Coordinates of all heavy atoms in Angstrom, one line a residue:
M1 N 0.9 -1.1 0.0 CA 0.0 0.0 0.0 C 0.9 1.2 0.0 O 1.9 1.3 0.7 CB -0.9 0.0 1.2 CG -1.7 1.3 1.5 SD -3.1 1.1 2.5 CE -3.9 2.7 2.2
A2 N 0.5 2.3 -0.8 CA 1.3 3.4 -0.8 C 0.7 4.5 0.2 O -0.5 4.6 0.5 CB 1.2 4.1 -2.2
C3 N 1.6 5.3 0.7 CA 1.3 6.4 1.5 C 0.3 7.3 0.8 O 0.4 7.8 -0.3 CB 2.6 7.2 1.9 SG 2.3 8.6 2.8
P4 N -0.9 7.7 1.5 CA -1.9 8.6 0.8 C -1.5 9.9 0.7 O -2.1 10.7 0.0 CB -3.1 8.4 1.9 CG -2.6 8.0 3.1 CD -1.3 7.1 2.8
I5 N -0.3 10.3 1.4 CA 0.1 11.7 1.4 C 1.1 11.8 0.2 O 1.0 12.8 -0.5 CB 0.7 12.1 2.8 CG1 -0.3 11.9 3.9 CG2 1.3 13.5 2.6 CD1 -1.5 12.7 3.7
C6 N 2.0 11.0 0.2 CA 3.1 11.3 -0.7 C 3.3 10.1 -1.7 O 4.2 10.1 -2.6 CB 4.4 11.6 -0.1 SG 5.1 10.1 0.8
D7 N 2.5 9.0 -1.6 CA 2.6 8.0 -2.5 C 3.9 7.1 -2.4 O 4.1 6.3 -3.2 CB 2.4 8.3 -4.0 CG 1.0 8.6 -4.2 OD1 0.0 8.1 -3.6 OD2 0.7 9.3 -5.3
R8 N 4.6 7.3 -1.4 CA 5.8 6.4 -1.0 C 5.3 5.2 -0.4 O 4.1 5.2 0.1 CB 6.8 7.1 -0.3 CG 7.7 8.1 -1.1 CD 8.8 8.7 -0.4 NE 8.3 9.8 0.5 CZ 9.1 10.7 1.0 NH1 10.3 10.8 0.8 NH2 8.5 11.5 1.8
K9 N 6.1 4.2 -0.4 CA 5.8 3.0 0.3 C 5.5 3.2 1.8 O 6.2 3.8 2.5 CB 7.0 1.9 0.1 CG 6.6 0.6 0.6 CD 7.8 -0.4 0.1 CE 7.5 -1.9 0.6 NZ 7.6 -2.0 2.1
S10 N 4.4 2.7 2.3 CA 4.1 2.8 3.7 C 5.0 2.1 4.6 O 5.5 1.0 4.1 CB 2.6 2.3 4.0 OG 2.5 1.1 3.6
A11 N 5.1 2.5 5.8 CA 6.3 1.9 6.6 C 5.5 1.3 7.9 O 4.5 1.7 8.3 CB 7.2 3.0 7.1
D12 N 6.1 0.1 8.3 CA 5.6 -0.5 9.5 C 5.6 0.5 10.7 O 6.6 1.3 10.8 CB 6.6 -1.6 10.0 CG 6.4 -2.9 8.9 OD1 5.4 -2.9 8.2 OD2 7.3 -3.6 9.0
G13 N 4.4 0.5 11.4 CA 4.3 1.5 12.6 C 3.7 2.8 12.1 O 3.2 3.5 13.1
Y14 N 3.7 3.0 10.9 CA 3.0 4.3 10.4 C 1.9 4.1 9.4 O 1.5 4.9 8.7 CB 4.0 5.3 9.9 CG 5.0 5.8 10.9 CD1 6.4 5.3 10.8 CD2 4.6 6.5 12.0 CE1 7.2 5.8 11.8 CE2 5.5 6.9 12.9 CZ 6.8 6.5 12.8 OH 7.6 6.9 13.8
R15 N 1.6 2.8 9.1 CA 0.5 2.5 8.1 C -0.7 3.3 8.3 O -1.1 3.4 9.5 CB 0.2 1.0 8.0 CG 1.5 0.1 7.6 CD 1.0 -1.4 7.8 NE 2.2 -2.2 7.5 CZ 2.6 -2.5 6.4 NH1 2.1 -2.1 5.2 NH2 3.7 -3.3 6.2
P16 N -1.3 3.8 7.3 CA -1.0 3.5 5.9 C 0.2 4.6 5.3 O 0.3 4.7 4.2 CB -2.2 3.7 5.1 CG -2.9 4.8 5.8 CD -2.6 4.6 7.4
F17 N 0.7 5.3 6.2 CA 1.7 6.4 6.0 C 3.1 5.8 5.8 O 3.3 4.8 6.3 CB 1.5 7.5 6.9 CG 0.1 8.0 7.1 CD1 -0.6 7.6 8.3 CD2 -0.5 8.7 6.0 CE1 -1.9 8.1 8.3 CE2 -1.8 9.2 6.2 CZ -2.4 8.8 7.4
C18 N 3.9 6.6 5.2 CA 5.3 6.2 5.1 C 6.1 6.7 6.2 O 7.3 6.2 6.5 CB 5.9 6.8 3.8 SG 6.1 8.7 3.8
S19 N 5.6 7.7 7.0 CA 6.4 8.3 8.1 C 5.5 8.9 9.1 O 4.3 9.3 8.8 CB 7.4 9.2 7.5 OG 6.8 10.3 7.0
K20 N 6.0 9.4 10.2 CA 5.2 10.1 11.1 C 4.9 11.4 10.5 O 3.8 12.0 10.8 CB 6.0 10.3 12.5 CG 5.2 11.0 13.6 CD 6.0 11.1 14.8 CE 5.0 11.7 15.9 NZ 4.4 12.9 15.5
R21 N 5.9 12.0 9.7 CA 5.4 13.2 9.1 C 4.2 13.2 8.3 O 3.4 14.1 8.4 CB 6.7 13.7 8.2 CG 6.3 14.8 7.4 CD 7.6 15.3 6.6 NE 8.5 15.9 7.6 CZ 9.7 16.4 7.1 NH1 10.1 16.2 6.0 NH2 10.5 16.9 8.0
C22 N 4.1 12.2 7.4 CA 2.9 12.1 6.7 C 1.7 11.9 7.5 O 0.6 12.3 7.2 CB 3.1 11.1 5.5 SG 4.1 11.6 4.2
A23 N 1.8 11.0 8.6 CA 0.6 10.9 9.5 C 0.3 12.2 10.1 O -0.9 12.4 10.3 CB 1.0 9.9 10.6
D24 N 1.3 13.0 10.5 CA 0.9 14.3 11.0 C 0.3 15.2 9.9 O -0.7 15.9 10.2 CB 2.2 15.0 11.5 CG 2.7 14.4 12.9 OD1 1.9 13.6 13.4 OD2 3.8 14.7 13.2
V25 N 0.7 15.2 8.7 CA 0.1 15.9 7.6 C -1.3 15.5 7.6 O -2.2 16.3 7.3 CB 0.8 15.7 6.4 CG1 0.1 16.4 5.3 CG2 2.2 16.4 6.5
D26 N -1.6 14.2 7.6 CA -3.0 13.8 7.5 C -3.9 14.2 8.6 O -5.0 14.7 8.3 CB -3.0 12.2 7.4 CG -4.4 11.7 6.9 OD1 -4.8 12.0 5.8 OD2 -5.1 11.2 7.8
L27 N -3.2 14.2 9.8 CA -4.0 14.8 10.9 C -4.3 16.2 10.8 O -5.3 16.7 11.2 CB -3.1 14.5 12.1 CG -3.8 14.8 13.5 CD1 -5.1 14.0 13.9 CD2 -2.8 14.7 14.6
A28 N -3.3 16.9 10.2 CA -3.4 18.4 10.1 C -4.6 18.6 9.1 O -5.4 19.6 9.2 CB -2.2 19.0 9.6
K29 N -4.8 17.8 8.1 CA -5.9 17.9 7.2 C -7.2 17.8 8.0 O -8.1 18.6 7.7 CB -5.8 16.9 6.1 CG -4.7 17.2 5.1 CD -4.7 16.3 3.8 CE -5.6 15.1 3.8 NZ -5.4 14.3 2.6
W30 N -7.3 16.8 8.8 CA -8.5 16.6 9.6 C -8.8 17.8 10.5 O -9.8 18.3 10.6 CB -8.4 15.4 10.4 CG -8.6 14.1 9.5 CD1 -7.7 13.3 9.3 CD2 -9.8 13.7 8.9 NE1 -8.2 12.3 8.5 CE2 -9.4 12.5 8.2 CE3 -11.1 14.1 8.8 CZ2 -10.4 11.8 7.5 CZ3 -12.1 13.4 8.2 CH2 -11.6 12.3 7.5
M31 N -7.7 18.3 11.1 CA -7.8 19.3 12.2 C -8.1 20.7 11.5 O -8.9 21.5 12.0 CB -6.6 19.3 13.0 CG -6.5 18.1 13.9 SD -4.8 18.1 14.8 CE -5.0 19.7 15.6
G32 N -7.3 21.0 10.5 CA -7.4 22.3 9.9 C -8.4 22.4 8.9 O -9.0 23.4 8.7
G33 N -8.6 21.3 8.1 CA -9.7 21.3 7.1 C -9.3 22.1 5.9 O -9.7 21.7 4.8
S34 N -8.7 23.2 6.1 CA -8.4 24.2 5.0 C -6.9 24.1 4.4 O -6.6 24.7 3.5 CB -8.8 25.6 5.3 OG -8.0 26.1 6.4
Y35 N -6.2 23.3 5.1 CA -4.8 23.3 4.7 C -4.6 22.4 3.5 O -5.0 21.2 3.5 CB -3.9 22.7 5.8 CG -3.7 23.6 7.0 CD1 -4.2 23.4 8.2 CD2 -3.0 24.8 6.7 CE1 -4.1 24.3 9.2 CE2 -2.8 25.7 7.8 CZ -3.4 25.4 9.0 OH -3.1 26.2 10.1
A36 N -4.1 22.9 2.5 CA -3.8 22.1 1.2 C -2.5 21.5 1.4 O -1.6 21.9 2.0 CB -4.0 23.0 0.0
I37 N -2.4 20.3 0.7 CA -1.1 19.7 0.7 C -0.4 20.3 -0.5 O -0.8 20.0 -1.6 CB -1.2 18.2 0.7 CG1 -2.0 17.6 1.7 CG2 0.2 17.5 0.5 CD1 -1.4 17.9 3.1
P38 N 0.7 21.0 -0.4 CA 1.2 21.8 -1.5 C 1.8 20.8 -2.5 O 1.5 21.1 -3.7 CB 2.3 22.7 -0.9 CG 2.0 22.6 0.6 CD 1.3 21.3 0.9
S39 N 2.6 19.9 -2.1 CA 3.2 19.1 -3.1 C 3.9 17.9 -2.3 O 3.6 17.8 -1.2 CB 4.3 19.9 -3.9 OG 5.3 20.1 -2.9
Q40 N 4.7 17.1 -3.0 CA 5.3 16.0 -2.3 C 6.7 16.4 -1.9 O 7.5 15.7 -1.4 CB 5.5 14.9 -3.3 CG 4.2 14.4 -3.8 CD 4.3 13.3 -4.8 OE1 5.4 12.7 -5.0 NE2 3.3 12.8 -5.5
N41 N 7.0 17.8 -1.9 CA 8.3 18.2 -1.4 C 8.2 18.3 0.0 O 7.5 18.8 0.8 CB 8.4 19.6 -1.9 CG 9.8 20.2 -1.6 OD1 10.4 19.7 -0.6 ND2 10.3 21.2 -2.3
P42 N 9.3 17.6 0.7 CA 9.3 17.4 2.2 C 9.4 18.8 2.8 O 8.9 19.1 4.0 CB 10.5 16.6 2.5 CG 10.7 15.8 1.3 CD 10.2 16.7 0.2
D43 N 9.9 19.8 2.1 CA 10.0 21.1 2.8 C 8.7 21.7 2.9 O 8.4 22.5 3.9 CB 10.9 22.0 1.8 CG 12.4 21.6 2.0 OD1 12.8 21.0 3.0 OD2 13.1 22.1 1.0
D44 N 7.8 21.4 2.0 CA 6.5 21.9 2.1 C 5.8 21.3 3.4 O 4.9 21.9 4.0 CB 5.6 21.6 0.9 CG 6.1 22.5 -0.3 OD1 6.7 23.5 0.0 OD2 5.9 22.2 -1.4
F45 N 6.0 20.0 3.6 CA 5.5 19.4 4.7 C 6.0 20.1 6.0 O 5.1 20.3 7.0 CB 5.9 17.9 4.9 CG 5.2 17.0 3.8 CD1 5.8 15.8 3.6 CD2 4.0 17.4 3.3 CE1 5.2 15.0 2.6 CE2 3.3 16.6 2.3 CZ 4.0 15.4 1.9
D46 N 7.2 20.5 6.1 CA 7.6 21.3 7.2 C 6.9 22.5 7.4 O 6.5 22.9 8.5 CB 9.2 21.4 7.1 CG 9.9 20.2 7.3 OD1 9.4 19.4 8.1 OD2 11.1 20.2 7.1
E47 N 6.8 23.2 6.2 CA 5.9 24.4 6.4 C 4.6 24.2 6.7 O 4.0 25.0 7.6 CB 5.9 25.1 5.0 CG 7.3 25.7 4.6 CD 7.4 26.3 3.2 OE1 6.2 26.6 2.7 OE2 8.4 26.5 2.6
L48 N 4.0 23.2 6.3 CA 2.6 22.9 6.7 C 2.5 22.6 8.1 O 1.6 23.1 8.9 CB 2.1 21.7 5.8 CG 0.7 21.2 6.3 CD1 -0.4 22.1 5.8 CD2 0.4 19.8 5.7
L49 N 3.4 21.8 8.7 CA 3.3 21.4 10.1 C 3.6 22.7 10.9 O 3.0 22.9 12.0 CB 4.3 20.4 10.4 CG 4.0 19.0 9.8 CD1 5.2 18.0 10.0 CD2 2.7 18.4 10.4
D50 N 4.5 23.5 10.5 CA 4.8 24.8 11.2 C 3.6 25.6 11.2 O 3.2 26.3 12.3 CB 6.0 25.4 10.5 CG 6.6 26.5 11.4 OD1 6.9 26.2 12.6 OD2 6.8 27.7 10.9
A51 N 2.9 25.8 10.2 CA 1.7 26.6 10.1 C 0.6 26.1 11.1 O 0.0 26.7 11.6 CB 1.2 26.7 8.6
M52 N 0.6 24.7 11.0 CA -0.4 24.0 11.9 C -0.2 24.3 13.4 O -1.0 24.6 14.1 CB -0.3 22.5 11.6 CG -1.5 21.7 12.4 SD -1.3 20.0 12.2 CE 0.0 19.6 13.3
Q53 N 1.2 24.2 13.7 CA 1.5 24.5 15.1 C 1.2 25.9 15.6 O 0.7 26.2 16.6 CB 3.0 24.2 15.3 CG 3.2 22.6 15.4 CD 4.8 22.3 15.5 OE1 5.5 23.2 15.3 NE2 5.0 21.1 15.8
K54 N 1.5 26.8 14.6 CA 1.3 28.2 14.9 C -0.3 28.4 15.1 O -0.7 29.2 15.9 CB 1.7 29.1 13.8 CG 3.3 29.2 13.8 CD 3.8 30.3 12.8 CE 5.3 30.5 13.1 NZ 6.1 30.3 11.9
A55 N -1.0 27.8 14.2 CA -2.5 27.9 14.2 C -3.1 27.4 15.6 O -3.8 27.9 16.3 CB -3.2 27.3 13.1
S56 N -2.4 26.3 16.0 CA -3.0 25.7 17.2 C -2.5 26.4 18.5 O -3.2 26.4 19.5 CB -2.4 24.2 17.3 OG -1.1 24.1 17.6
E57 N -1.4 27.1 18.4 CA -1.0 28.0 19.5 C -2.0 29.1 19.8 O -2.3 29.5 21.0 CB 0.4 28.6 19.1 CG 1.5 27.6 19.5 CD 2.8 28.1 18.9 OE1 2.8 29.3 18.6 OE2 3.8 27.4 18.9
G58 N -2.7 29.6 18.7 CA -3.6 30.7 18.9 C -5.0 30.1 19.1 O -5.9 31.0 19.3
A59 N -5.2 28.9 19.1 CA -6.6 28.3 19.2 C -6.7 27.9 20.7 O -5.8 27.8 21.4 CB -6.7 27.2 18.2
D60 N -7.9 27.3 20.8 CA -8.2 26.7 22.1 C -7.3 25.5 22.4 O -7.1 24.7 21.5 CB -9.6 26.1 22.1 CG -10.1 25.8 23.5 OD1 -9.4 25.5 24.3 OD2 -11.4 25.8 23.5
T61 N -6.7 25.5 23.5 CA -5.7 24.4 23.8 C -6.1 23.2 24.3 O -5.5 22.2 24.6 CB -4.5 25.1 24.7 OG1 -5.1 25.6 25.9 CG2 -3.7 26.1 23.9
D62 N -7.5 23.2 24.6 CA -8.1 22.0 25.1 C -7.9 20.9 24.2 O -7.9 21.0 23.0 CB -9.6 22.2 25.4 CG -9.9 23.0 26.6 OD1 -9.0 23.1 27.4 OD2 -11.0 23.5 26.7
D63 N -7.8 19.7 24.7 CA -7.7 18.5 23.8 C -9.1 18.5 23.1 O -10.1 18.7 23.6 CB -7.6 17.2 24.6 CG -6.1 17.1 25.1 OD1 -5.2 17.8 24.6 OD2 -5.8 16.5 26.2
E64 N -8.9 17.9 21.9 CA -10.1 17.9 21.1 C -11.0 16.7 21.4 O -11.2 15.8 20.7 CB -9.7 17.9 19.6 CG -8.6 16.9 19.1 CD -7.3 17.5 19.5 OE1 -7.2 18.8 19.5 OE2 -6.3 16.8 19.6
D65 N -11.5 16.7 22.7 CA -12.4 15.6 23.0 C -13.6 15.7 22.2 O -14.4 16.6 22.0 CB -12.8 15.9 24.4 CG -11.7 15.5 25.4 OD1 -10.8 14.8 25.1 OD2 -11.7 16.1 26.5
G66 N -14.0 14.5 21.8 CA -15.2 14.3 20.9 C -15.0 14.9 19.4 O -16.0 15.1 18.7
N67 N -13.7 15.3 19.2 CA -13.6 15.9 17.9 C -12.3 15.3 17.3 O -11.7 16.0 16.5 CB -13.4 17.5 18.1 CG -13.4 18.2 16.7 OD1 -14.1 17.7 15.8 ND2 -12.8 19.3 16.7
S68 N -12.1 14.1 17.6 CA -11.0 13.4 17.0 C -11.3 13.0 15.6 O -12.4 12.7 15.3 CB -10.6 12.1 17.9 OG -10.3 12.6 19.2
P69 N -10.1 13.0 14.9 CA -10.3 12.6 13.5 C -10.6 11.0 13.4 O -10.2 10.3 14.3 CB -9.0 12.8 12.8 CG -8.0 13.0 13.9 CD -8.8 13.4 15.1
P70 N -11.3 10.5 12.4 CA -11.5 9.1 12.3 C -10.1 8.5 12.2 O -9.2 8.7 11.7 CB -12.2 9.0 10.9 CG -12.7 10.4 10.7 CD -11.8 11.3 11.3
R71 N -10.2 7.3 12.9 CA -9.0 6.5 13.0 C -8.9 5.6 11.7 O -10.0 4.8 11.5 CB -9.0 5.6 14.2 CG -8.4 6.3 15.4 CD -6.9 6.2 15.4 NE -6.3 7.4 16.2 CZ -5.2 8.0 16.0 NH1 -4.5 7.6 14.9 NH2 -4.8 9.1 16.6
L72 N -7.9 5.5 11.0 CA -7.6 4.7 9.9 C -7.1 3.3 10.5 O -6.1 3.4 11.2 CB -6.8 5.2 8.9 CG -7.2 6.4 8.3 CD1 -6.1 7.1 7.4 CD2 -8.5 6.3 7.5
S73 N -7.7 2.3 10.4 CA -7.2 1.1 11.0 C -7.3 -0.1 10.0 O -8.0 0.1 9.0 CB -7.8 0.7 12.3 OG -9.3 0.6 12.1
Ligands
LIG1 ZN1 4.3 9.7 2.9

Protein backbone atom coordinates (compact mmCIF):
# COMPACT_ATOMS: atom_id res chain seq x y z
CA MET A 1 0.00 0.00 0.00
CA ALA A 2 1.24 3.49 -0.81
CA CYS A 3 1.27 6.43 1.53
CA PRO A 4 -1.90 8.49 0.83
CA ILE A 5 0.07 11.70 1.38
CA CYS A 6 3.11 11.26 -0.79
CA ASP A 7 2.58 7.89 -2.51
CA ARG A 8 5.74 6.44 -1.13
CA LYS A 9 5.78 2.97 0.31
CA SER A 10 4.06 2.82 3.68
CA ALA A 11 6.19 1.89 6.67
CA ASP A 12 5.61 -0.49 9.53
CA GLY A 13 4.34 1.44 12.51
CA TYR A 14 2.98 4.28 10.41
CA ARG A 15 0.57 2.48 8.11
CA PRO A 16 -0.91 3.54 5.88
CA PHE A 17 1.62 6.34 5.91
CA CYS A 18 5.31 6.24 5.09
CA SER A 19 6.40 8.22 8.12
CA LYS A 20 5.24 10.12 11.17
CA ARG A 21 5.50 13.26 9.12
CA CYS A 22 2.90 12.09 6.65
CA ALA A 23 0.68 10.85 9.48
CA ASP A 24 0.93 14.31 11.00
CA VAL A 25 0.10 15.91 7.70
CA ASP A 26 -2.98 13.75 7.41
CA LEU A 27 -3.97 14.71 10.95
CA ALA A 28 -3.46 18.35 10.06
CA LYS A 29 -5.86 17.92 7.18
CA TRP A 30 -8.50 16.64 9.58
CA MET A 31 -7.81 19.31 12.16
CA GLY A 32 -7.34 22.28 9.90
CA GLY A 33 -9.69 21.34 7.13
CA SER A 34 -8.43 24.15 4.94
CA TYR A 35 -4.78 23.28 4.68
CA ALA A 36 -3.87 22.12 1.24
CA ILE A 37 -1.07 19.68 0.71
CA PRO A 38 1.17 21.77 -1.48
CA SER A 39 3.24 19.06 -3.07
CA GLN A 40 5.35 16.04 -2.37
CA ASN A 41 8.25 18.25 -1.39
CA PRO A 42 9.26 17.47 2.20
CA ASP A 43 10.07 21.13 2.76
CA ASP A 44 6.44 21.90 2.14
CA PHE A 45 5.47 19.38 4.77
CA ASP A 46 7.64 21.22 7.25
CA GLU A 47 5.96 24.47 6.36
CA LEU A 48 2.57 22.87 6.69
CA LEU A 49 3.36 21.45 10.11
CA ASP A 50 4.84 24.74 11.20
CA ALA A 51 1.70 26.56 10.11
CA MET A 52 -0.42 23.99 11.88
CA GLN A 53 1.50 24.47 15.13
CA LYS A 54 1.23 28.23 14.90
CA ALA A 55 -2.48 27.95 14.27
CA SER A 56 -2.95 25.64 17.23
CA GLU A 57 -1.03 27.97 19.50
CA GLY A 58 -3.58 30.67 18.85
CA ALA A 59 -6.51 28.30 19.19
CA ASP A 60 -8.21 26.68 22.11
CA THR A 61 -5.61 24.48 23.75
CA ASP A 62 -8.08 22.00 25.14
CA ASP A 63 -7.72 18.50 23.84
CA GLU A 64 -10.13 17.87 21.06
CA ASP A 65 -12.43 15.64 23.05
CA GLY A 66 -15.19 14.34 20.87
CA ASN A 67 -13.56 15.97 17.91
CA SER A 68 -10.94 13.43 17.03
CA PRO A 69 -10.34 12.56 13.44
CA PRO A 70 -11.50 9.15 12.30
CA ARG A 71 -8.99 6.45 12.94
CA LEU A 72 -7.67 4.61 9.96
CA SER A 73 -7.18 1.05 10.96
ZN1 LIG B 1 4.30 9.70 2.95
